[in-house]
Amino acid sequence: MANPEANPRAGMGKRETLLFAPAHTAVLAERTARALGLALAPSEEREFDGGEHKIRPLREVRGCDVFVMQSLAGDEHASANDKLCRLLFFIGALKDAGAARVTACTPYLCYARKDRRTQARDPVTTRYVAAMFEAVGVDRVLVLEVHNEAAFDNAFRCEAIRLSSGSVFSEHLARLGASSNLTVASPDVGGIKRAQVLRETLASKFNDQFGFAFMEKRRAAGVVSGDKLIGDVAGRDVLIFDDLIASGGTIARAARAARAAGARRVYAAASHAVFTPAAVQLFDPDGPDAVLVSDSVALPAAFERFTQGSLQICSVAPLFAAAITELVRSD
């Protein structure tokens, strides 16, 4: 049972708040629970032959306001599909058990990049994922730094809330000595709005103005080209901001262009560290001076050694805790 004195609903005469998490996201969920002043609610997970499984709550949930945290990035432990199924089935079990409201907290939402048809008869998988959430009765979805805001907003019929990681990164940038001599850059045209939002967040945080730049980028048959940087970065610190890093190629290309244009220091920041093995290129001597990522996705073991150097992990647990608290209070 959660400590009633620490419960965001304590003394408000409303439903009890519970936070659950499958084992794959237990570390981030524990951090979020501590930030909320709650104990992570207990659940049981069992594996069966043929890859089947079940997860059930180990305490009464009837009439409760339930949040379930599960990051949906595939890794060496489970695929994105497996994690998605576990989350959906657990939400269904919670609704069957009488939970008054269930909110899916998905720091990383799988298939968010497949939000449109790029070839004939392509699936629009973002929309199908949304339909599955709705089919099991989810009341709300809470997601960090979606790939395409418009596509995300249009995919869900239930309440869907987007969180931005800008405030999380601003604290770490302050420790790195970022100042008014900073330019926020998008590594491609598609991320311009995202980078501009971060620029506004930093301007509010530091009570200052910052420059802006973006890279040209073209993709044809899976090949990325374009190396022109638009914006003044000469003699300035440059922060390249994207929603995720996979191979690191987009960030590396932008970092090289910024240095060639006379940037003093180059930082990179991305909400989701969905690193593939190729992302080691970011930690070469000519890579960014610092790479900031959140803990929305568990860091692959092969990259842990870089946390002693330029890789810095910025926790989004306080961000999710604040969002959950606000939702609880506003209901």
Side-chain angles (χ1 to χ4, degrees), residues 8 39 74 134 225 230 259 271 295 325:
E134 292 154 10
S225 60
I230 294 89
R259 287 211 170 94
S271 300
D295 55 354
T325 299

Side-chain angles (χ1 to χ4, degrees), residues 6-9 12 17 32 35-38 65 67 142 318-331:
N7 195 313
R9 286 246 125 108
M12 299 176 67
T17 302
T32 303
L36 283 165
L38 295 173
D65 196 355
F67 294 80
L142 185 62
L319 181 65
F320 271 90
I324 290 170
T325 299
E326 182 60 31
L327 289 171
V328 166
R329 288 175 176 168
S330 62
D331 284 344

Side-chain angles (χ1 to χ4, degrees), residues 11-327:
M12 299 176 67
K14 297 185 179 180
R15 299 185 292 264
E16 183 179 4
T17 302
L18 300 175
L19 175 63
F20 288 93
H24 294 128
T25 313
V27 174
L28 178 57
E30 287 281 7
R31 291 171 183 158
T32 303
R34 286 196 296 272
L36 283 165
L38 295 173
L40 193 62
S43 58
E44 176 195 36
E45 295 185 59
R46 292 185 61 188
E47 308 296 322
F48 300 100
D49 293 341
E52 297 182 6
H53 55 79
K54 80 167 185 180
I55 177 170
R56 69 182 180 99
L58 289 178
R59 57 145 296 163
E60 181 62 63
V61 300
R62 183 170 300 279
C64 295
D65 196 355
V66 179
F67 294 80
V68 185
M69 179 169 280
Q70 172 80 311
S71 191
L72 300 176
D75 55 27
E76 66 270 26
H77 303 295
S79 70
N81 296 336
D82 188 33
K83 291 182 180 181
L84 176 61
C85 279
R86 289 170 187 264
L87 175 59
L88 293 173
F89 296 164
F90 189 38
I91 290 171
L94 291 165
K95 296 296 287 190
D96 287 348
R101 183 190 295 269
V102 177
T103 300
C105 301
T106 58
Y108 178 81
L109 179 65
C110 61
Y111 295 107
R113 287 177 280 179
K114 193 55 188 142
D115 55 29
R116 60 191 175 92
R117 293 186 180 92
T118 56
Q119 295 180 333
R121 298 171 296 281
D122 252 5
V124 186
T125 319
T126 301
R127 181 161 55 84
Y128 310 152
V129 169
M132 286 191 284
F133 274 108
E134 292 154 10
V136 296
V138 76
D139 296 284
R140 230 165 12 201
V141 176
L142 185 62
V143 179
L144 174 70
E145 209 70 67
V146 297
H147 184 67
N148 183 321
E149 293 182 353
F152 173 80
D153 291 344
N154 291 328
F156 287 87
R157 293 178 178 86
C158 65
E159 184 179 5
I161 302 165
R162 297 182 268 106
L163 300 180
S164 174
S165 57
S167 61
V168 175
F169 291 130
S170 66
E171 300 290 340
H172 287 258
L173 287 168
R175 288 197 282 272
L176 287 171
S179 65
S180 58
N181 195 37
L182 179 72
T183 291
V184 179
S186 172
D188 53 38
V189 175
I192 285 178
K193 182 178 179 181
R194 180 182 304 110
Q196 286 176 332
V197 170
L198 176 62
R199 179 192 181 197
E200 293 166 4
T201 299
L202 294 174
S204 176
K205 169 74 176 179
F206 295 107
N207 193 28
D208 209 334
Q209 297 299 312
F210 298 94
F212 185 76
F214 66 93
M215 285 286 297
E216 106 177 290
K217 176 181 174 181
R218 298 183 299 276
R219 186 187 298 272
V223 178
V224 175
S225 60
D227 56 6
K228 186 175 182 181
L229 179 66
I230 294 89
D232 183 15
V233 301
R236 300 176 65 85
D237 294 341
V238 177
L239 172 66
I240 303 164
F241 182 54
D242 210 349
D243 61 322
L244 61 87
I245 297 175
S247 70
T250 296
I251 295 291
R253 183 178 59 90
R256 289 193 297 269
R259 287 211 170 94
R264 186 179 67 168
R265 289 181 295 183
V266 178
Y267 306 125
S271 300
H272 309 298
V274 287
F275 290 153
T276 66
V280 296
Q281 65 184 299
L282 294 177
F283 308 101
D284 290 339
D286 61 348
D289 295 281
V291 178
L292 310 181
V293 296
S294 85
D295 55 354
S296 67
V297 174
L299 188 68
F303 289 86
E304 290 178 359
R305 68 184 190 275
F306 298 117
T307 60
Q308 305 302 314
S310 61
L311 181 60
Q312 301 187 22
I313 311 298
C314 313
S315 183
V316 292
L319 181 65
F320 271 90
I324 290 170
T325 299
E326 182 60 31
L327 289 171

